[in-house]
Amino acid sequence: MSGFRASTSGITEYIDAHHEEEVLHLVWESGLNSWKHRFAQFKRKVQNGVYPAHLESLLIITVLVMAFHFSSTKVPYDLINTVIWLLPSNLIDWQILLCFMVSFIIWLVICITLRYTLKFLLMYKGYLFETRGKGVSMTTRVWGILVKLLLKWNSPVLYSFQGSLPRLPVPSVKDTVDRYLKSIRPIYDDETYEAVKKEAQEFENGISTKLQRYLVLKSWWADNFYSDWWEEYAYLKSREPLMYGSNYYGSDTIDPPTNNQAARAGNLVHLMLKFREKISHQVLPPIMLQGMVPLCSSQYERLFNTVRVPGIESDKIVHYEDTKHIVVIHKGCYYKVIVFFGDRILNSSELQYQFQEILELKPTASETEQNLASLTAWNRTKWAEVRDKFFASGINKSSLEAIETAAFVLSLDDEPYIYNLDSSPTEYGHYGKQLLVGNGHNRWFDKSFNLCVGNNGRAGIHGEHTWADASVVAHLLEDCVCEDYSHYDEHGRLREPMIIKRKTFRKLQWDLDNSELKESVKMAHDNALNIINDIDHQIIVHKQFGKGFIKTCRLSPDAFIQMALQLAYYRDFGKFSLTYEASTTRLYREGRTETVRSCTIESSAWVKSMEDPNVTKEERIRLLKEACNKHQKGYLESMTGKGIDRHLFCFYIISKYLELKSPFLDRIFNEPWRLTTSQTPMGQTPKTDLNKFPQLISASGGFGPVAYDGYAVSYIIVRDDLIFFHVSSKKSCSVTDTDRFSNQIVTAMSDIRKLFEK
């Protein structure tokens, strides 16, 4: 038997089989591995279900129960001897069965008790609001001891806490309305504010009761009262292009370990696939706040093998079981690369060989094929129509399926990524822009993420926002980059020897010879280029000071920076505006984000004092501390279920379903967010030690503005003397200017520092 052909998803594989017995053996091994995988998944689900108890503790309890029973030892509440008379007979077999049943009941009671004890403890959030340096309350001390005892009882894995995390509470209507009115006071003049206040009171005394009743009912039934609606209405129903309005990017380290593009791509791809394996096997440790409070891990489920599929009215997120391939985009061509040999992930050198072979190819791609990915950067309805018409059958369907089912997309760019700590904001910003939008057709914007590698070995990541928040992708990138450095020798060559040297990739084929399709791709690409040309993006390397100085001021670093942004915006626009800062609600099950409204009565009072020459330095410092304390309190309240915007968002959705009109809600959701900000978390993995490994410094990532006439600012506080700012706006807007605003940020940071100089 010379060979047989097996086809999967339109790909033809040739497998030599010299004997029929070998084929049967392969079938047997495949089935056996499948059952092993199912059993392992079942075991992990049970282990997570009984956490913090041990699955093995059932055996221990069974042995003890049988020992006590058959040794005739008297024990309190002797359940076995109480019910033994119900057995058909007193034979040893029946007694053993009864011992098993009693053991299981005792074990189940212990599991439930431990689980709900942990859940009760995780509901406590008082520790977050205790001021550092002023001692810890007795309540928090006792709480901390109990949590640590339960965690030491059993080491957690990725999804261990999912059943123990509390549900996000629904705030009261009065609290939400009161917080909202305080948040808008600096934005509106007296007349407008009084009008909004009247609308708010009418809402609170009117339809809010009915809306709140429905929302509370949803909170009892669903794991989270807003997260599914947030995904659907804030993302999937939006018809705007993903490229700049929704997606984001993450950047590489300052000093990558090699300038070999294929080698860097090979090692990062290998490490990312190992990360996927950790998720699949649930051996990845969960993120723990302060080392003892877990964050929800549900978003990791869709990190790989996930795509946002366009729809006419609404998109959908599709997640596939772990697949054994990725897709590479290079010079307008697409390659499906098998990244497994049997059940083994190809090592970094084997992957380097695949990518080097692709780089050395000289393919011929039509203009339509080169620009094909621009369809994913287009209006979602238009892309859905083209997809349904031209990619629903034949070779186009199979090639599209190869991309959408891939673990992720690797983009091997044919241009360098140039940056360093001495780069100008514009030069560094060009690198960020490369990752965010590319050239409009070298990113598959629908995929959960694209790994991007420049031809000088520097890398980055492009993420789709719907399926998860950026912190999850940041964790992936941070973990892989930290591991990356140990895999190269002093010449930047991979250390791992190549075991298999054969091509495992093939070029995807398309049928694009249709005038309507060609015109659609051209329109999509032209639209993408218009968006790209309108982006005004900079990355500021702020080396004057970092968190070290800020801590000497006894201020929260995040609050300090938010105040600087308020001052910069006021100087730029001459007025205040709604400011969005993202906080997390992952302390609760299925949590996503909540809005911190950084523009407050206190912050505006301090900003005005900075512009008033008659105000003393002492008074400005006092007002700054009040503003920072207010911001920090608001941030913590947003984390702990006392936010404003997700509650009002759900009210708005329910009111539309019930066809209830509310001028108050309509006004809220027509208010523009002209300053959108976010801090990127640093050190999500213990591997990140910048004191030992300063080459791991990264500028993190950024995104585009929400409002046409607004700014987007992402920042990361790297160390005691370094902060990165990613600033973005639109060139076509006459009232915004990224360069001007970047200078205002730097000046504002400097002016705050001067307040504390003696």
Side-chain angles (χ1 to χ4, degrees), residues 382-444:
K382 292 179 180 178
W383 167 212
E385 291 170 347
V386 173
R387 187 180 190 276
D388 291 344
K389 189 168 185 178
F390 299 106
F391 295 87
S393 62
I395 196 168
N396 286 352
K397 179 182 179 181
S398 61
S399 294
L400 181 61
E401 283 180 352
I403 297 172
E404 294 185 338
T405 60
F408 55 90
V409 168
L410 167 65
S411 180
L412 296 175
D413 290 352
D414 51 358
E415 60 181 346
Y417 300 161
I418 300 172
Y419 60 89
N420 57 59
L421 286 178
D422 296 320
S423 296
S424 68
T426 301
E427 183 181 37
Y428 215 142
H430 177 69
Y431 162 61
K433 187 174 176 180
Q434 285 175 303
L435 297 178
L436 182 60
V437 295
N439 57 19
H441 61 257
N442 59 357
R443 312 279 182 264
W444 197 267

Side-chain angles (χ1 to χ4, degrees), residues 349-585:
S349 295
E350 292 165 346
L351 288 167
Q352 177 188 356
Y353 172 75
Q354 308 303 323
F355 303 145
Q356 189 61 49
E357 288 290 312
I358 290 173
L359 290 172
E360 291 175 1
L361 291 175
K362 295 181 180 179
T364 55
S366 65
E367 183 180 357
T368 302
E369 182 178 357
Q370 289 180 15
N371 298 335
L372 194 61
S374 297
L375 290 170
T376 65
W378 207 12
N379 173 279
R380 303 304 293 173
T381 298
K382 292 179 180 178
W383 167 212
E385 291 170 347
V386 173
R387 187 180 190 276
D388 291 344
K389 189 168 185 178
F390 299 106
F391 295 87
S393 62
I395 196 168
N396 286 352
K397 179 182 179 181
S398 61
S399 294
L400 181 61
E401 283 180 352
I403 297 172
E404 294 185 338
T405 60
F408 55 90
V409 168
L410 167 65
S411 180
L412 296 175
D413 290 352
D414 51 358
E415 60 181 346
Y417 300 161
I418 300 172
Y419 60 89
N420 57 59
L421 286 178
D422 296 320
S423 296
S424 68
T426 301
E427 183 181 37
Y428 215 142
H430 177 69
Y431 162 61
K433 187 174 176 180
Q434 285 175 303
L435 297 178
L436 182 60
V437 295
N439 57 19
H441 61 257
N442 59 357
R443 312 279 182 264
W444 197 267
F445 297 102
D446 289 352
K447 284 297 287 183
S448 54
F449 70 89
N450 290 239
L451 172 62
C452 312
V453 183
N455 61 15
N456 59 349
R458 296 191 171 193
I461 207 163
H462 176 100
E464 201 280 318
H465 213 322
T466 309
W467 59 274
D469 302 316
S471 57
V472 175
V473 173
H475 182 194
L476 165 70
L477 188 59
E478 182 180 316
D479 186 273
C480 294
V481 166
C482 288
E483 287 280 345
D484 188 34
Y485 282 80
S486 62
H487 291 253
Y488 305 88
D489 61 21
E490 63 275 13
H491 302 292
R493 296 178 299 223
L494 289 168
R495 300 177 187 274
E496 199 164 9
M498 190 186 308
I499 301 172
I500 298 170
K501 187 177 181 180
R502 70 177 187 187
K503 294 180 182 178
T504 64
F505 67 87
R506 76 172 184 87
K507 185 176 180 292
L508 297 181
Q509 303 299 319
W510 307 92
D511 180 9
L512 306 175
D513 191 21
N514 180 284
S515 58
E516 185 181 349
L517 175 56
K518 288 180 179 179
E519 182 61 25
S520 295
V521 172
K522 183 180 183 303
M523 291 172 62
H525 187 245
D526 289 344
N527 185 73
L529 291 179
N530 289 336
I531 293 173
I532 292 170
N533 293 332
D534 197 30
I535 296 173
D536 194 4
H537 190 76
Q538 291 190 359
I539 298 178
I540 305 169
V541 184
H542 187 273
K543 296 186 286 187
Q544 288 76 11
F545 63 90
K547 63 182 177 182
F549 168 76
I550 298 173
K551 287 183 177 180
T552 64
C553 304
R554 296 189 175 183
L555 297 173
S556 156
D558 179 70
F560 184 101
I561 291 173
Q562 285 291 328
M563 294 309 107
L565 294 177
Q566 288 300 309
L567 180 57
Y569 186 87
Y570 186 80
R571 287 171 171 174
D572 192 70
F573 267 83
K575 61 180 181 179
F576 298 106
S577 181
L578 285 177
T579 304
Y580 179 109
E581 182 187 6
S583 72
T584 183
T585 58

Side-chain angles (χ1 to χ4, degrees), residues 177-215:
V177 171
D178 288 348
R179 290 192 187 101
Y180 170 77
L181 290 174
K182 288 178 181 178
S183 75
I184 63 167
R185 190 64 191 92
I187 312 298
Y188 295 126
D189 57 33
D190 292 343
E191 183 180 352
T192 306
Y193 176 75
E194 289 301 322
V196 177
K197 186 177 179 180
K198 182 180 179 182
E199 291 175 353
Q201 290 172 344
E202 290 175 353
F203 171 78
E204 185 178 347
N205 298 326
I207 66 171
S208 70
T209 303
K210 187 174 186 179
L211 301 180
Q212 180 79 343
R213 192 182 302 124
Y214 277 104
L215 194 56

Side-chain angles (χ1 to χ4, degrees), residues 128 137 168 194 372 388 392 632:
L128 289 170
S137 68
L168 183 67
E194 289 301 322
L372 194 61
D388 291 344
Q632 187 68 3

